[in-house]
């Protein structure tokens, strides 16, 4: 299991970790998919690249926050709703951090009213409002997306440390990584819960992983 994911899951019980291991695709666990994701990132420690990347992340976080907030609003009161609502709050904070990181490297190219933002929101709403919306699948998608983000952020922080990036930038990314580790952990626990109840299926986990790590289904 690749190191960033292993660190995020360190608080899973032995039994839950065992079920997680046999349910997640091998490529996710052995690090081959994260390695491909990093390669596809095309990282460059240049202001132009960092500006665009952080801007894109700000848009994704804003859309994610809206999606989580909408899903939470449809859940009954309780721990699960509280977790999803807190996740939405975290994503809103992340959006602000990414915008600031983009501005520090030259300016934000994408904004909340951008075409990309509109398209992403429409696609997300279409999924959430679809008659076949399945909450366990939403949690699987959220989990895999958070693993992907954790992979990218961990790599970027390492590369920025090598390039001598400003302490404030490194600290900001470290704070994002800390949140992502928790998001990975709590969604992993929920995924395991749904797998135990047969509400989530390994075939969907594989499909979701392929989408988030390879960009296709």
């Amino acid at each position: 299991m690749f190191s960033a994911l292993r660190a995020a899951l360190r608080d899973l019980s032995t039994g839950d970790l065992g079920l997680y291991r046999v349910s997640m695709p091998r490529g996710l666990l052995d690090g081959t998919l994260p390695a491909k994701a990093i390669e596809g990132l095309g990282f460059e420690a240049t202001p132009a690249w960092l500006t665009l990347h952080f801007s894109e992340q700000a848009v994704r976080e804003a859309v994610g926050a809206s999606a989580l907030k909408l899903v939470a609003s449809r859940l009954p009161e309780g721990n699960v709703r509280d977790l999803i609502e807190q996740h939405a709050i975290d994503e809103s904070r992340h959006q602000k951090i990414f915008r600031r990181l983009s501005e520090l490297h030259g300016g934000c190219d994408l904004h909340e009213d951008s075409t990309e933002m509109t398209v992403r929101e429409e696609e997300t709403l279409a999924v959430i409002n679809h008659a076949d919306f399945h909450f366990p699948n939403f949690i699987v998608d959220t989990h895999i997306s958070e693993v992907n983000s954790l992979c990218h952020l961990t790599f970027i922080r390492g590369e920025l440390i090598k390039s001598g990036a400003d302490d404030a930038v490194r600290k900001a990314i470290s704070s994002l990584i800390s949140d992502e580790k928790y998001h990975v952990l709590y969604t992993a626990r929920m995924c395991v819960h749904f797998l135990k109840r047969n509400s989530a299926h390994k075939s969907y986990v594989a499909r979701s992983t392929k989408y988030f790590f390879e960009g296709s289904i």
Side-chain angles (χ1 to χ4, degrees):
M1 188 179 295
F2 78 94
S3 58
L5 178 58
R6 183 170 59 249
L9 299 176
R10 66 184 180 279
D11 291 330
L12 276 186
S13 68
T14 301
D16 286 352
L17 183 59
L19 180 56
Y20 183 88
R21 285 179 181 274
V22 300
S23 302
M24 295 293 139
R26 178 182 293 273
L28 182 69
L29 300 178
D30 67 15
T32 54
L33 284 179
K36 288 181 180 178
I38 288 172
E39 182 180 349
L41 194 62
F43 177 81
E44 296 179 22
T46 63
W49 189 92
L50 291 168
T51 292
L52 181 58
H53 177 74
F54 290 142
S55 296
E56 291 173 343
Q57 292 303 312
V59 169
R60 292 189 181 101
E61 297 289 339
V63 173
S66 296
L68 289 160
K69 185 175 180 180
L70 177 58
V71 170
S73 71
R74 298 177 178 179
L75 297 173
E77 292 186 5
N79 291 337
V80 173
R81 178 170 176 166
D82 291 345
L83 285 167
I84 303 299
E85 286 180 336
Q86 183 58 55
H87 195 161
I89 292 170
D90 292 345
E91 301 293 84
S92 293
R93 185 176 69 256
H94 294 180
Q95 183 261 343
K96 295 175 183 177
I97 292 173
F98 277 122
R99 278 188 62 85
R100 180 57 181 154
L101 285 171
S102 177
E103 290 164 358
L104 287 173
H105 290 89
C108 197
D109 288 347
L110 302 174
H111 303 281
E112 287 82 353
D113 59 351
S114 67
T115 300
E116 179 176 346
M117 177 79 168
T118 301
V119 170
R120 286 180 177 273
E121 283 188 325
E122 289 176 349
E123 291 175 346
T124 302
L125 284 174
V127 171
I128 295 174
N129 290 325
H130 196 281
D132 293 333
F133 176 76
H134 188 53
F135 182 63
N137 286 352
F138 174 80
I139 292 299
V140 168
D141 288 341
T142 301
H143 175 68
I144 301 299
S145 175
E146 295 298 311
V147 173
N148 196 336
S149 295
L150 177 62
C151 160
H152 285 168
L153 285 168
T154 302
F155 170 76
I156 288 174
R157 180 179 63 178
E159 294 302 300
L160 290 178
I161 289 173
K162 291 178 187 177
S163 66
D166 185 90
D167 283 345
V169 173
R170 299 204 303 267
K171 287 179 180 178
I173 294 178
S174 291
S175 73
L176 293 168
I177 289 174
S178 179
D179 283 347
E180 299 294 33
K181 284 182 177 179
Y182 180 71
H183 296 160
V184 167
L185 175 62
Y186 99 80
T187 53
R189 285 176 171 154
M190 292 180 70
C191 285
V192 168
H193 171 75
F194 288 131
L195 286 163
K196 287 178 177 177
R197 296 178 57 190
N198 294 319
S199 298
H201 304 281
K202 286 194 257 185
S203 60
Y204 189 84
V205 175
R207 184 174 182 230
S208 181
T209 303
K210 185 175 179 62
Y211 174 80
F212 281 103
F213 277 89
E214 298 181 11
S216 61
I217 296 177

